[in-house]
Amino acid sequence: MRNLRRNANGTWSDSVAMIKTMLLKKTASPNSMFQKLALGLFFFVVLSAMMFYSALPQKYDVRVGQVLQENILARKEAINTIATNKLRQAAADQVPKKYTLNHTITAEVKEHITDILNYVKEVRIRTYLEDHEKINLLMNKISREISEESYIQLITMSDTSLKELETITKAIIETVMEEGVKEDSIDRAKTHVIEEFKNLNLPQEIKSVGEEIALLTIKPNMVYDREATEKEQREAMEAIAPVKVYPNQILIEKGTVITSEHQDMLKELGLLARDREADISLLVGIMCVSAFLVGTLAFALYYFHNDIYNNNLYLSLMILIIVSTLIISLGLKNISKYLIPLAAGSMLISILINPQVAVFSSFTMSVVVGIMLGSNFSYTVVALSGALIGIFCTAKVSQRSDLTKAGGIIGCAKFVLITGLALLSNGTPLEILKESPWGMVSGLLSAILAIGTLPFLENAFGITSSIKLLELSNPNQPLLRRLMLEAPGTYHHSIIVGNLAVAGAEAVGADPLLARVGANYHDIGKLKRPYFFIENQLTSDNPHDKLSPSLSALIITSHVKDGLEIAKEYRLPKCIIDLIVQHHGTSLLSFFYNKALESDYEKNTDDTSYRYEGPKPQTREAAIIMLADCAEAAVRSMPKPTPGKIEGLIRQIIKEKLSDGQLDECDLTLKDLDKLASTFSKVLTGIFHTRIEYPDKLTELQRKDLDNGQYNDKQLTR
């Protein structure tokens, strides 16, 4: 058990030492952390290099006045900000200036006219002055722009005429200025004033005086509204759509004389050879994206799959698959950007590591592929969709042919998706016919890559996939055929243990496939000395009757070590080898140990030499196989099994294994053990149920036994 152990008195106590051991195991060593950091740095550098290499456009070294020797093409979709700014500035310049009519200025002008005429009245009453003195005084005080004749008229006209002149002049000024007078239209306003005075039915002398006063005082009353003007200019600029540059669009034609504007445009688009700022900016952006992707993937693994995060072998495999997939994609993008086999990497990670980890990896790869393909949304969606469909198709793969089916499903899905995206973008039938088949090819290519590389990755990293386990479970495997022919009893026993292990694993949430395959191979060590094991003894003679208990125990326990050697010889996966080594743990051979205690020569012997070397089961699957192995052997030996007896015996076996500490190092709980007892009982009751005897057949077989001496009563009854 993980943290509980049965003591000699039958009570439960905490296993403090075991908890400490587990904590030590979970603590990452400095060396492991250094390896993890090195892997992360390598992953970051590789992703950054691939994205930077793909996103770096071709540069052009052009100078002002140079005649261009080749067309300069855009490598990706971008915004030509220089051309856009020119169009927007032109739109802003076309916006007329906005003015606001200021009535206060009109009032000020009319007040100015009143002041002029009031001063005229004041000078007029100075009788002690001569006319010419009055004129000089007015010219100096008012303005010399008014003619001397007009000043004479102002001095000599009657008070009534002067009052009438004031009223008419103000009326004309108000009429003209209420229409609005701008700085640049002051001359037009003055012309309007002259025309208004001409239309008056007054003596010419009075009209001339009023006209000169009006022309002197009139001024612009339309005030420039900067805020309103700039607002309309901004609206006009925003209405101009950005000038887009599309891939393979000719930016500058061959034979064009390069100008400074051409250089500015190339610099803006990052195509000028001498512009290192663009390269640095691109590199920094790529590094930021790469750091985000690596960090997000690491966090997802740490949070959702800490076991994989702490396994540097799995991390290395995941990084290798991602990087290899991206490198292949980098090479195939020149053929078609819909040919990207992202699904191959996703399926491999799903099969070899974990489907959920494959989902995280798919998002990482899709972002990188999107940047590599010029940040095109369609390519990214198609690649990611294929990868996710591949994960769904391989989440429960049972044989390699399933990968071929997955490739076909991926191809069909991509074909439909590419067609739909092309129709959404108003693609022509020819374009659709040209691009859509690449989706089908991509799906098949992904399946081929996954099928071809899966065995190599399994062997190189020592990972056993479900496909490999299914292949090992095939009865035609050489080792299983040997077991069936050379140790048929052991083979039959292994098959039943396998059935028990599968049922038990399903009950407690362990891996049923691993449990079955482990059970099939757990006793292969008995191939070296099959007849020393009772299930392979065809006669009543037992070789152990002639051996000492210690020697018998040595032979029996050695089948684990022999199984390890045979497993290595046949190159069985490590997970199966672990189950072979752990399926007895450090259990005691109680029969031979008790026999030794009864012997005169070995009655004081220690039980250490009568125990298996171990280790104890480390996983749920190993513990399930141990319990299934013991349960099957014990129930088989029962004289008259009944459901109650079978379940009682199984629970007793589990209790003994628990008390002996054999389940201390696996993570089975008491609830799991209860489920295993119930499940094993159901399965074994169905196998070893009581059968009726057939009297006639029994009499015939007994007669043959007497004649040939080949049968006994035990063998005739079932």
Side-chain angles (χ1 to χ4, degrees):
M1 299 297 294
R2 180 162 50 188
N3 54 9
L4 294 173
R5 183 174 179 173
R6 189 80 177 237
N7 61 19
N9 297 324
T11 60
W12 297 106
S13 63
D14 294 333
S15 182
V16 178
M18 188 189 319
I19 294 176
K20 289 182 178 178
T21 303
M22 291 184 62
L23 290 175
L24 289 173
K25 285 183 179 180
K26 289 187 177 182
T27 303
S29 64
N31 186 45
S32 174
M33 184 58 65
F34 175 78
Q35 292 175 355
K36 208 179 305 294
L37 291 174
L39 283 172
L41 181 61
F42 169 78
F43 192 36
F44 167 77
V45 171
V46 172
L47 288 187
S48 300
M50 284 193 292
M51 287 190 286
F52 181 72
Y53 172 77
S54 300
L56 190 65
Q58 180 182 349
K59 302 283 188 159
Y60 297 92
D61 186 12
V62 295
R63 302 180 184 278
V64 176
Q66 174 186 345
V67 178
L68 194 62
Q69 300 300 316
E70 60 177 329
N71 290 333
I72 295 181
L73 305 178
R75 300 302 173 186
K76 62 180 181 179
E77 184 174 327
I79 302 297
N80 188 341
T81 56
I82 294 177
T84 302
N85 290 338
K86 283 184 177 181
L87 290 176
R88 288 178 175 173
Q89 187 58 48
D93 293 341
Q94 291 178 357
V95 174
K97 293 182 179 180
K98 297 299 176 182
Y99 292 88
T100 302
L101 182 63
N102 193 335
H103 297 283
T104 303
I105 296 177
T106 305
E108 290 175 354
V109 171
K110 292 167 66 177
E111 185 67 24
H112 189 195
I113 294 173
T114 301
D115 292 342
I116 290 174
L117 296 179
N118 285 339
Y119 187 70
V120 170
K121 293 176 183 178
E122 182 183 343
V123 172
R124 280 163 53 113
I125 63 176
R126 296 179 184 180
T127 57
Y128 58 86
L129 295 177
E130 298 291 335
D131 287 346
H132 68 276
E133 291 177 335
K134 293 179 180 180
I135 292 172
N136 289 332
L137 188 60
L138 291 174
M139 292 181 69
N140 292 331
K141 182 66 176 178
I142 299 174
S143 174
R144 293 188 179 274
E145 294 183 9
I146 298 177
S147 65
E148 187 176 347
E149 291 79 8
S150 295
Y151 282 125
I152 294 172
Q153 289 294 329
L154 288 172
I155 293 172
T156 58
M157 71 175 53
S158 64
D159 291 339
T160 304
S161 299
L162 191 61
K163 184 65 177 178
E164 185 180 5
L165 174 64
E166 179 181 358
T167 303
I168 292 173
T169 304
K170 286 182 178 181
I172 291 176
I173 282 291
E174 185 173 8
T175 300
V176 174
M177 293 187 66
E178 284 302 312
E179 295 180 2
V181 180
K182 301 179 183 177
E183 289 282 356
D184 56 356
S185 64
I186 188 67
D187 293 336
R188 186 169 65 250
K190 289 181 177 181
T191 302
H192 190 186
V193 169
I194 294 171
E195 291 177 352
E196 288 292 329
F197 273 102
K198 283 183 179 180
N199 295 329
L200 293 176
N201 187 18
L202 291 173
Q204 182 61 39
E205 295 80 6
I206 295 177
K207 289 195 292 185
S208 297
V209 175
E211 182 179 307
E212 289 191 35
I213 293 174
L215 294 178
L216 174 66
T217 57
I218 193 171
K219 61 182 180 180
N221 65 343
M222 293 293 289
V223 180
Y224 174 60
D225 191 340
R226 180 182 297 276
E227 184 177 348
T229 303
E230 290 179 350
K231 180 182 178 181
E232 288 204 9
Q233 287 177 338
R234 286 194 300 270
E235 292 175 353
M237 293 173 71
E238 291 172 359
I240 301 298
V243 178
K244 286 188 177 182
V245 174
Y246 296 95
N248 299 320
Q249 177 182 337
I250 298 177
L251 298 175
I252 309 175
E253 294 184 355
K254 177 181 178 181
T256 303
V257 178
I258 299 299
T259 64
S260 59
E261 290 185 354
H262 291 143
Q263 279 190 327
D264 292 341
M265 180 180 66
L266 294 178
K267 182 177 181 180
E268 181 68 27
L269 296 175
L271 301 177
L272 194 62
R274 297 186 301 277
D275 180 24
R276 297 302 175 191
E277 293 182 5
D279 294 346
I280 295 174
S281 176
L282 177 63
L283 180 60
V284 172
I286 291 294
M287 291 175 67
C288 290
V289 173
S290 183
F292 172 79
L293 294 176
V294 174
T296 303
L297 183 58
F299 176 78
L301 291 176
Y302 177 80
Y303 191 80
F304 295 104
H305 293 280
N306 195 259
D307 55 334
I308 296 174
Y309 176 82
N310 291 322
N311 190 323
N312 290 338
L313 184 68
Y314 278 140
L315 293 180
S316 302
L317 176 60
M318 181 189 69
I319 292 173
L320 175 63
I321 293 174
I322 292 175
V323 171
S324 301
T325 304
L326 293 175
I327 291 175
I328 294 173
S329 301
L330 195 62
L332 293 176
K333 73 171 187 175
N334 295 325
I335 300 175
S336 173
K337 294 182 179 179
Y338 287 119
L339 187 58
I340 303 301
L342 211 63
S346 299
M347 290 191 291
L348 288 172
I349 295 175
S350 175
I351 295 169
L352 295 173
I353 301 178
N354 182 276
Q356 193 173 12
V357 174
V359 173
F360 301 147
S361 302
S362 297
F363 280 102
T364 300
M365 289 189 290
S366 64
V367 173
V368 177
V369 165
I371 294 175
M372 288 168 51
L373 300 181
S375 302
N376 188 290
F377 175 77
S378 298
Y379 301 139
T380 304
V381 169
V382 171
L384 177 61
S385 301
L388 295 178
I389 293 171
I391 295 170
F392 298 147
C393 291
T394 55
K396 293 183 179 180
V397 64
S398 59
Q399 51 191 350
R400 297 190 190 274
S401 61
D402 290 342
L403 291 175
T404 306
K405 297 176 183 176
I409 295 172
I410 294 168
C412 292
K414 279 191 168 186
F415 180 89
V416 173
L417 183 58
I418 294 171
T419 302
L421 291 173
L423 291 173
L424 286 175
S425 59
N426 297 321
T428 64
L430 182 60
E431 291 174 344
I432 296 174
L433 189 62
K434 179 182 177 182
E435 297 293 347
S436 296
W438 287 114
M440 184 67 71
V441 176
S442 174
L444 297 177
L445 178 62
S446 298
I448 293 170
L449 290 173
I451 294 171
T453 56
L454 183 59
F456 296 101
L457 293 175
E458 286 178 333
N459 295 331
F461 287 85
I463 295 176
T464 306
S465 66
S466 57
I467 296 176
K468 181 67 174 178
L469 289 175
L470 284 165
E471 291 177 348
L472 289 173
S473 66
N474 190 333
N476 291 321
Q477 285 287 335
L479 192 52
L480 291 182
R481 287 183 62 83
R482 274 193 61 191
L483 192 65
M484 182 171 54
L485 296 175
E486 299 176 24
T490 299
Y491 176 80
H492 183 261
H493 160 73
S494 298
I495 295 300
I496 297 177
V497 171
N499 293 336
L500 286 173
V502 169
E506 290 175 345
V508 300
D511 188 343
L513 182 57
L514 178 60
R516 178 185 292 280
V517 178
N520 288 350
Y521 289 89
H522 79 286
D523 272 344
I524 57 174
K526 294 179 180 180
L527 281 170
K528 284 199 173 182
R529 287 173 287 270
Y531 294 109
F532 279 89
F533 300 90
I534 192 168
E535 68 265 21
N536 298 315
Q537 295 170 6
L538 302 179
T539 65
S540 59
D541 295 333
N542 191 336
H544 291 287
D545 295 337
K546 302 175 183 179
L547 301 176
S548 64
S550 58
L551 183 57
S552 294
L554 179 62
I555 293 173
I556 296 298
T557 56
S558 64
H559 87 274
V560 174
K561 188 179 296 182
D562 295 337
L564 175 61
E565 294 175 357
I566 294 173
K568 290 181 178 179
E569 178 185 350
Y570 280 83
R571 297 181 180 179
L572 293 183
K574 184 179 182 301
C575 60
I576 303 300
I577 293 177
D578 290 341
L579 295 178
I580 293 172
V581 174
Q582 298 169 19
H583 82 276
H584 280 300
T586 57
S587 299
L588 176 68
L589 292 171
S590 57
F591 176 81
F592 293 109
Y593 177 63
N594 292 329
K595 186 177 179 181
L597 293 179
E598 296 171 359
S599 171
D600 294 334
Y601 299 101
E602 300 183 26
K603 60 182 178 181
N604 295 322
T605 187
D606 184 20
D607 69 348
T608 305
S609 57
Y610 288 90
R611 286 185 177 273
Y612 288 94
E613 294 183 4
K616 297 176 182 179
Q618 305 293 307
T619 63
R620 289 182 294 175
E621 290 79 14
I624 290 169
I625 292 174
M626 167 188 278
L627 297 176
D629 186 20
C630 296
E632 193 278 339
V635 173
R636 180 187 292 273
S637 65
M638 292 181 70
K640 290 184 178 181
T642 63
K645 288 183 179 180
I646 290 175
E647 183 169 358
L649 180 58
I650 292 172
R651 291 189 180 275
Q652 181 63 31
I653 290 171
I654 294 176
K655 178 180 177 181
E656 290 175 357
K657 292 297 181 183
L658 194 58
S659 300
D660 194 31
Q662 299 303 315
L663 304 178
D664 286 354
E665 298 178 13
C666 67
D667 58 354
L668 285 175
T669 64
L670 292 176
K671 187 176 182 180
D672 291 336
L673 294 179
D674 182 66
K675 291 180 180 178
L676 288 175
S678 300
T679 303
F680 288 172
S681 176
K682 291 178 182 178
V683 175
L684 290 174
T685 299
I687 297 175
F688 296 108
H689 61 275
T690 304
R691 299 175 184 267
I692 62 172
E693 296 180 354
Y694 298 89
D696 296 339
K697 190 67 175 178
L698 180 62
T699 303
E700 181 182 351
L701 291 175
Q702 286 176 337
R703 181 179 57 79
K704 290 183 179 180
D705 181 31
L706 293 174
D707 294 340
N708 302 323
Q710 294 179 350
Y711 298 94
N712 56 44
D713 291 343
K714 271 189 177 180
Q715 291 169 320
L716 292 173
T717 58
R718 289 189 279 177

